[in-house]
Amino acid sequence: MRRTIVAAAVALGMTLVGVAPSQAVDDVNTKKLRQAVSVAGILKHERAFQSIANANDGTRASGLPGFEASKDYVVQQLRRAGYTVDVQEFTFPFYRDLAAPTVSQLTPDQTDYETATLQYSGSGDVSGPVVPASNTVIPPTPEPSSTSGCAPADFPANPAANSIALIQRGTCNFEDKARNAKAAGYAAVVIFNEGNPDRTDLFAGALTTPGADLEPIGIPVVALSYADGAALYQAAAAGGATARVTTSTEVDGDRTTYNVLASTPKGKQPGRVVVGAHLDSVVAGPGINDNGSGAATILETAVQMSKLGYNKRLQHQVTFAFWGAEELGLLGSQHYVDNLTQDQKSKIYANLNFDMLGSPNYVRFVYDGDGSAGGAAGPPGSAEIEGIFTDYFDDAGLASAPTAFDGRSDYGPFIAEGIPAGGLFSGAEDLKTAEEAQVYGGTAGKAYDSCYHLACDDITNLNSQALFELGDAAAHATLTLALSKTGLFPDGSSGAYSMNKVAAAQSDYRGPWAVR
């Protein structure tokens, strides 16, 4: 799961009573499949992913040999299970840090700050005066209001050699801020968080828009927390400050990676369910939870559906999709959607997304299709998909909690086209609350996955109970949608008429993902 440019709040309210049962989705007995999709089967694939990472510098990131080997493993397993497999090749802008970045204030006092490189930053070692951009708002207003760095005029002209632009987050994207600073003659850029609620910590971001052509910026661009950025700002405003910024990165705008797509035979009805999980890790680690857990779960579901003979009698075709380059901006799923015709898009009955299903300090998060937890609702039909999961957990006597469609994973390109979506998530870098610990167990005040995007996201970084509970729910939802004779809409419309309603929902939907 990638970290977004805009930090997204996760809706954390728990519920023991799920969304009202949908009258449109059939009640399907999925017990045989759930029994077949075992934790042992999922872990078999996870161990294979770990072995691949071990043999490839500890990573399975797209554009590197570890991803190629992961792709080959998945293709082999699917072909053995009887699937015809399509390997969809595409190019993408590759990026990785070669060394940890640094930000150090040199004068008037010496201070080292915790920092992170923004994706697609250039390399460099710059020491010079710190120059704050105009329209910085300190202290911040309750609602985000900073436009710092969004206009070329925000940067004092004719800066001294090796000047470092200090910019507050807010309003426009990071790339615009950094390019404005570079155009004004600055040699490095430091962007600090805005300081509003949920916008205080050190953050991650990228200097490119998904799907856009990469134009390397060529200078160091790094991030700071609000507190550290404000301290550096005050030092610069009080009489001047100097700092040193270092980065070491690799940027390649034309690296090759793949999506792996395996489809069942066509169903009795025209709809198709796309069941997806990203296969790539971050460069920093093997990605056994993020997202080996999702990829292993849908791989085992595909294998067992074939072994049990379900694929010969489905109502709706299922495509199992293993996405490449998710960690650099949902690039694989976006490439897939971009290369569908409108007719092909209109026949996608639903998208299920499984990203991180084995977090050590887990919560059973369900994507909030109806928007009832305060975020944006998904396209029509998404509420009914949410209901499949929450009804399943309710029937099993297990609590679940809604999590927002916040753009962090591969449902994003589907939702942007108005395709109904849903799925599961066991938590990433956010901290478990005391209330959640009471409901789900685990440790309050500790991250759901403290190895998120780190080298320690290895085979030891999995909770087998989470894999059992969320793996069963994933298999249940997949088979329910594949075997349901009726549609996702409350009037129970089915067949081609239901597909027409999906197509109409796609054309009418104008959610927050329609403009990126």
Side-chain angles (χ1 to χ4, degrees), residues 31 58 73 85 90 110 125 132 186 205 209 211 245 255 262 265 330 353 364 384 414 446 483 494 509:
K31 183 177 180 180
Y73 173 79
V85 181
F90 63 98
Q110 187 166 351
D125 186 337
Y186 290 81
T209 302
V245 176
R255 196 71 66 96
L330 318 181
N353 186 71
R364 291 178 288 271
E384 284 67 33
F414 292 90
K446 183 179 178 181
L483 289 179
S494 62
Y509 185 67

mmCIF file of all heavy atoms in Angstrom, residues 31 58 73 85 90 110 125 132 186 205 209 211 245 255 262 265 330 353 364 384 414 446 483 494 509:
data_model
loop_
_atom_site.group_PDB
_atom_site.id
_atom_site.type_symbol
_atom_site.label_atom_id
_atom_site.label_comp_id
_atom_site.label_asym_id
_atom_site.label_seq_id
_atom_site.Cartn_x
_atom_site.Cartn_y
_atom_site.Cartn_z
ATOM 1 N N LYS A 31 -18.960 -22.022 2.300
ATOM 2 C CA LYS A 31 -18.212 -22.764 3.321
ATOM 3 C C LYS A 31 -17.101 -23.617 2.723
ATOM 4 O O LYS A 31 -15.973 -23.633 3.242
ATOM 5 C CB LYS A 31 -19.163 -23.637 4.130
ATOM 6 C CG LYS A 31 -18.483 -24.385 5.273
ATOM 7 C CD LYS A 31 -19.490 -25.179 6.092
ATOM 8 C CE LYS A 31 -18.789 -25.929 7.235
ATOM 9 N NZ LYS A 31 -19.756 -26.708 8.053
ATOM 10 N N GLY A 58 16.557 -8.338 -0.730
ATOM 11 C CA GLY A 58 15.559 -8.041 0.288
ATOM 12 C C GLY A 58 14.359 -7.273 -0.192
ATOM 13 O O GLY A 58 13.634 -6.688 0.625
ATOM 14 N N TYR A 73 6.471 -16.496 -10.295
ATOM 15 C CA TYR A 73 5.881 -17.446 -9.345
ATOM 16 C C TYR A 73 4.360 -17.451 -9.446
ATOM 17 O O TYR A 73 3.729 -18.516 -9.504
ATOM 18 C CB TYR A 73 6.308 -17.107 -7.914
ATOM 19 C CG TYR A 73 5.598 -17.946 -6.877
ATOM 20 C CD1 TYR A 73 6.002 -19.249 -6.617
ATOM 21 C CD2 TYR A 73 4.502 -17.434 -6.174
ATOM 22 C CE1 TYR A 73 5.336 -20.028 -5.673
ATOM 23 C CE2 TYR A 73 3.837 -18.209 -5.233
ATOM 24 C CZ TYR A 73 4.254 -19.507 -4.987
ATOM 25 O OH TYR A 73 3.580 -20.275 -4.073
ATOM 26 N N VAL A 85 -3.281 -17.239 -18.469
ATOM 27 C CA VAL A 85 -2.751 -16.053 -17.793
ATOM 28 C C VAL A 85 -2.291 -15.027 -18.823
ATOM 29 O O VAL A 85 -1.595 -15.359 -19.783
ATOM 30 C CB VAL A 85 -1.581 -16.430 -16.865
ATOM 31 C CG1 VAL A 85 -1.051 -15.195 -16.134
ATOM 32 C CG2 VAL A 85 -2.019 -17.492 -15.857
ATOM 33 N N PHE A 90 4.046 -2.974 -18.997
ATOM 34 C CA PHE A 90 3.979 -1.521 -19.167
ATOM 35 C C PHE A 90 5.238 -0.889 -18.591
ATOM 36 O O PHE A 90 5.970 -1.508 -17.814
ATOM 37 C CB PHE A 90 2.722 -0.934 -18.513
ATOM 38 C CG PHE A 90 2.637 -1.106 -17.014
ATOM 39 C CD1 PHE A 90 3.004 -0.088 -16.152
ATOM 40 C CD2 PHE A 90 2.152 -2.292 -16.460
ATOM 41 C CE1 PHE A 90 2.914 -0.235 -14.777
ATOM 42 C CE2 PHE A 90 2.052 -2.456 -15.090
ATOM 43 C CZ PHE A 90 2.434 -1.433 -14.247
ATOM 44 N N GLN A 110 23.032 24.383 15.832
ATOM 45 C CA GLN A 110 23.113 23.156 15.053
ATOM 46 C C GLN A 110 22.053 22.175 15.526
ATOM 47 O O GLN A 110 21.978 21.846 16.717
ATOM 48 C CB GLN A 110 24.500 22.529 15.166
ATOM 49 C CG GLN A 110 24.681 21.336 14.227
ATOM 50 C CD GLN A 110 26.132 20.917 14.084
ATOM 51 O OE1 GLN A 110 27.029 21.611 14.543
ATOM 52 N NE2 GLN A 110 26.353 19.787 13.440
ATOM 53 N N ASP A 125 23.905 17.500 -2.447
ATOM 54 C CA ASP A 125 24.433 17.859 -1.130
ATOM 55 C C ASP A 125 24.552 19.376 -1.134
ATOM 56 O O ASP A 125 25.466 19.936 -1.745
ATOM 57 C CB ASP A 125 25.782 17.188 -0.903
ATOM 58 C CG ASP A 125 26.326 17.403 0.504
ATOM 59 O OD1 ASP A 125 25.918 18.382 1.160
ATOM 60 O OD2 ASP A 125 27.177 16.598 0.934
ATOM 61 N N PRO A 132 12.451 31.178 3.609
ATOM 62 C CA PRO A 132 11.045 30.777 3.655
ATOM 63 C C PRO A 132 10.259 31.357 2.482
ATOM 64 O O PRO A 132 10.459 32.509 2.072
ATOM 65 C CB PRO A 132 10.553 31.362 4.979
ATOM 66 C CG PRO A 132 11.785 31.596 5.797
ATOM 67 C CD PRO A 132 12.840 31.966 4.786
ATOM 68 N N TYR A 186 16.496 28.192 -6.656
ATOM 69 C CA TYR A 186 16.847 27.538 -5.393
ATOM 70 C C TYR A 186 17.461 26.169 -5.666
ATOM 71 O O TYR A 186 17.068 25.458 -6.600
ATOM 72 C CB TYR A 186 15.630 27.441 -4.480
ATOM 73 C CG TYR A 186 15.227 28.808 -3.977
ATOM 74 C CD1 TYR A 186 14.467 29.660 -4.773
ATOM 75 C CD2 TYR A 186 15.665 29.264 -2.745
ATOM 76 C CE1 TYR A 186 14.144 30.940 -4.350
ATOM 77 C CE2 TYR A 186 15.341 30.552 -2.301
ATOM 78 C CZ TYR A 186 14.581 31.379 -3.113
ATOM 79 O OH TYR A 186 14.268 32.655 -2.691
ATOM 80 N N GLY A 205 5.496 11.741 0.189
ATOM 81 C CA GLY A 205 4.826 12.312 -0.973
ATOM 82 C C GLY A 205 5.624 12.044 -2.225
ATOM 83 O O GLY A 205 6.669 11.392 -2.195
ATOM 84 N N THR A 209 2.591 13.213 -10.905
ATOM 85 C CA THR A 209 1.192 12.817 -10.892
ATOM 86 C C THR A 209 1.070 11.447 -11.536
ATOM 87 O O THR A 209 1.634 11.221 -12.606
ATOM 88 C CB THR A 209 0.347 13.831 -11.682
ATOM 89 O OG1 THR A 209 0.524 15.117 -11.108
ATOM 90 C CG2 THR A 209 -1.126 13.449 -11.646
ATOM 91 N N GLY A 211 0.436 8.519 -13.810
ATOM 92 C CA GLY A 211 0.069 8.483 -15.215
ATOM 93 C C GLY A 211 0.706 9.575 -16.052
ATOM 94 O O GLY A 211 0.668 9.531 -17.276
ATOM 95 N N VAL A 245 21.233 20.036 3.283
ATOM 96 C CA VAL A 245 20.277 19.025 2.819
ATOM 97 C C VAL A 245 21.027 18.058 1.920
ATOM 98 O O VAL A 245 21.717 18.483 0.984
ATOM 99 C CB VAL A 245 19.116 19.663 2.035
ATOM 100 C CG1 VAL A 245 18.179 18.591 1.472
ATOM 101 C CG2 VAL A 245 18.332 20.642 2.913
ATOM 102 N N ARG A 255 11.243 2.319 -16.852
ATOM 103 C CA ARG A 255 11.486 0.961 -16.350
ATOM 104 C C ARG A 255 10.267 0.094 -16.679
ATOM 105 O O ARG A 255 9.132 0.585 -16.746
ATOM 106 C CB ARG A 255 11.723 1.025 -14.844
ATOM 107 C CG ARG A 255 12.367 -0.197 -14.207
ATOM 108 C CD ARG A 255 13.824 -0.382 -14.546
ATOM 109 N NE ARG A 255 14.730 0.633 -14.032
ATOM 110 C CZ ARG A 255 15.423 0.520 -12.899
ATOM 111 N NH1 ARG A 255 15.296 -0.561 -12.143
ATOM 112 N NH2 ARG A 255 16.260 1.471 -12.530
ATOM 113 N N ALA A 262 -5.552 -13.262 -14.562
ATOM 114 C CA ALA A 262 -6.025 -14.626 -14.802
ATOM 115 C C ALA A 262 -7.542 -14.645 -14.658
ATOM 116 O O ALA A 262 -8.071 -14.271 -13.614
ATOM 117 C CB ALA A 262 -5.394 -15.600 -13.820
ATOM 118 N N PRO A 265 -13.484 -18.922 -16.957
ATOM 119 C CA PRO A 265 -14.351 -18.879 -18.140
ATOM 120 C C PRO A 265 -15.484 -17.879 -17.930
ATOM 121 O O PRO A 265 -15.824 -17.532 -16.795
ATOM 122 C CB PRO A 265 -14.878 -20.315 -18.243
ATOM 123 C CG PRO A 265 -13.869 -21.146 -17.533
ATOM 124 C CD PRO A 265 -13.349 -20.281 -16.409
ATOM 125 N N LEU A 330 -0.235 3.596 -7.774
ATOM 126 C CA LEU A 330 -1.335 2.808 -8.351
ATOM 127 C C LEU A 330 -1.166 2.644 -9.862
ATOM 128 O O LEU A 330 -2.142 2.591 -10.615
ATOM 129 C CB LEU A 330 -2.700 3.448 -8.056
ATOM 130 C CG LEU A 330 -2.943 4.021 -6.660
ATOM 131 C CD1 LEU A 330 -4.362 4.577 -6.552
ATOM 132 C CD2 LEU A 330 -2.684 2.991 -5.581
ATOM 133 N N ASN A 353 -10.740 -5.237 -3.639
ATOM 134 C CA ASN A 353 -9.335 -4.882 -3.432
ATOM 135 C C ASN A 353 -8.885 -5.362 -2.061
ATOM 136 O O ASN A 353 -9.545 -5.088 -1.046
ATOM 137 C CB ASN A 353 -9.157 -3.366 -3.521
ATOM 138 C CG ASN A 353 -7.698 -2.964 -3.447
ATOM 139 O OD1 ASN A 353 -6.941 -3.188 -4.378
ATOM 140 N ND2 ASN A 353 -7.303 -2.369 -2.326
ATOM 141 N N ARG A 364 -10.234 -5.329 11.723
ATOM 142 C CA ARG A 364 -10.954 -5.797 10.536
ATOM 143 C C ARG A 364 -11.629 -4.596 9.866
ATOM 144 O O ARG A 364 -12.805 -4.312 10.093
ATOM 145 C CB ARG A 364 -11.973 -6.868 10.923
ATOM 146 C CG ARG A 364 -11.351 -8.179 11.364
ATOM 147 C CD ARG A 364 -12.372 -9.197 11.789
ATOM 148 N NE ARG A 364 -12.986 -8.863 13.063
ATOM 149 C CZ ARG A 364 -12.521 -9.223 14.256
ATOM 150 N NH1 ARG A 364 -11.416 -9.958 14.349
ATOM 151 N NH2 ARG A 364 -13.144 -8.857 15.361
ATOM 152 N N GLU A 384 -23.522 -2.047 -1.264
ATOM 153 C CA GLU A 384 -23.913 -3.444 -1.231
ATOM 154 C C GLU A 384 -22.702 -4.359 -1.084
ATOM 155 O O GLU A 384 -22.763 -5.386 -0.396
ATOM 156 C CB GLU A 384 -24.701 -3.798 -2.502
ATOM 157 C CG GLU A 384 -26.130 -3.285 -2.519
ATOM 158 C CD GLU A 384 -26.238 -1.765 -2.583
ATOM 159 O OE1 GLU A 384 -25.358 -1.127 -3.214
ATOM 160 O OE2 GLU A 384 -27.202 -1.210 -2.018
ATOM 161 N N PHE A 414 -10.646 2.267 -10.421
ATOM 162 C CA PHE A 414 -11.974 1.711 -10.696
ATOM 163 C C PHE A 414 -13.059 2.670 -10.230
ATOM 164 O O PHE A 414 -14.028 2.946 -10.940
ATOM 165 C CB PHE A 414 -12.120 0.346 -10.015
ATOM 166 C CG PHE A 414 -11.243 -0.716 -10.603
ATOM 167 C CD1 PHE A 414 -9.959 -0.920 -10.120
ATOM 168 C CD2 PHE A 414 -11.686 -1.505 -11.648
ATOM 169 C CE1 PHE A 414 -9.136 -1.887 -10.663
ATOM 170 C CE2 PHE A 414 -10.872 -2.486 -12.208
ATOM 171 C CZ PHE A 414 -9.591 -2.674 -11.714
ATOM 172 N N LYS A 446 0.060 1.510 19.598
ATOM 173 C CA LYS A 446 1.060 0.921 18.716
ATOM 174 C C LYS A 446 0.490 0.845 17.308
ATOM 175 O O LYS A 446 -0.712 0.665 17.119
ATOM 176 C CB LYS A 446 1.432 -0.483 19.203
ATOM 177 C CG LYS A 446 2.521 -1.161 18.396
ATOM 178 C CD LYS A 446 2.847 -2.536 18.968
ATOM 179 C CE LYS A 446 3.909 -3.235 18.134
ATOM 180 N NZ LYS A 446 4.222 -4.593 18.663
ATOM 181 N N LEU A 483 -21.127 -15.931 -7.875
ATOM 182 C CA LEU A 483 -22.251 -16.849 -8.006
ATOM 183 C C LEU A 483 -23.612 -16.182 -7.890
ATOM 184 O O LEU A 483 -24.641 -16.817 -8.174
ATOM 185 C CB LEU A 483 -22.152 -17.946 -6.946
ATOM 186 C CG LEU A 483 -21.053 -18.994 -7.130
ATOM 187 C CD1 LEU A 483 -21.064 -19.995 -5.974
ATOM 188 C CD2 LEU A 483 -21.226 -19.733 -8.456
ATOM 189 N N SER A 494 -31.103 -7.743 -12.547
ATOM 190 C CA SER A 494 -30.082 -8.719 -12.858
ATOM 191 C C SER A 494 -29.769 -8.723 -14.339
ATOM 192 O O SER A 494 -30.392 -8.029 -15.136
ATOM 193 C CB SER A 494 -30.535 -10.121 -12.423
ATOM 194 O OG SER A 494 -31.700 -10.493 -13.133
ATOM 195 N N TYR A 509 -21.251 9.025 -12.167
ATOM 196 C CA TYR A 509 -20.497 9.187 -10.934
ATOM 197 C C TYR A 509 -19.472 10.304 -11.054
ATOM 198 O O TYR A 509 -18.733 10.380 -12.034
ATOM 199 C CB TYR A 509 -19.790 7.885 -10.571
ATOM 200 C CG TYR A 509 -19.094 7.966 -9.238
ATOM 201 C CD1 TYR A 509 -19.820 8.088 -8.053
ATOM 202 C CD2 TYR A 509 -17.711 7.941 -9.147
ATOM 203 C CE1 TYR A 509 -19.192 8.172 -6.836
ATOM 204 C CE2 TYR A 509 -17.076 8.036 -7.928
ATOM 205 C CZ TYR A 509 -17.823 8.153 -6.780
ATOM 206 O OH TYR A 509 -17.192 8.245 -5.558
#
